[in-house]
Amino acid sequence: MKVTIIHSNGRKENTWEITQMFRYQLSKYQKIEFKEHDLSSEFPYFCTGCHNCFLHGEQTCPHFQKLQPI
């Protein structure tokens, strides 16, 4: 199974701790490939609210190149 974890804050506090507990518990039952993304470092831009992604597809987002890996 593959699981993607998306963090939106660079601090490693409560949410990060819960995520680590979740990873540990989930891994006890089966082999899991985790992929993590930290939006605060990988994606330093805020959404502009242009709605291009909804209206014309993800590739029309002004930040598409940065978001592509996610």
Side-chain angles (χ1 to χ4, degrees):
M1 175 188 291
K2 294 181 181 182
V3 174
T4 300
I5 300 169
I6 300 175
H7 298 279
S8 61
N9 192 325
R11 298 177 300 169
K12 292 187 171 160
E13 294 181 3
N14 296 330
T15 304
W16 187 82
E17 287 290 331
I18 295 284
T19 303
Q20 299 312 306
M21 285 191 249
F22 177 75
R23 286 179 65 155
Y24 173 75
Q25 292 297 324
L26 201 56
S27 295
K28 290 185 350 184
Y29 300 103
Q30 62 179 301
K31 183 176 173 147
I32 298 181
E33 178 184 330
F34 290 99
K35 180 161 179 119
E36 291 193 51
H37 294 283
D38 176 12
L39 294 184
S40 62
S41 63
E42 293 181 43
F43 187 66
Y45 309 103
F46 288 107
C47 175
T48 60
C50 67
H51 299 261
N52 279 339
C53 58
F54 293 114
L55 300 173
H56 307 291
E58 294 175 351
Q59 67 279 4
T60 62
C61 172
H63 308 297
F64 179 71
Q65 294 302 319
K66 279 285 196 181
L67 283 173
Q68 182 61 31
I70 299 171

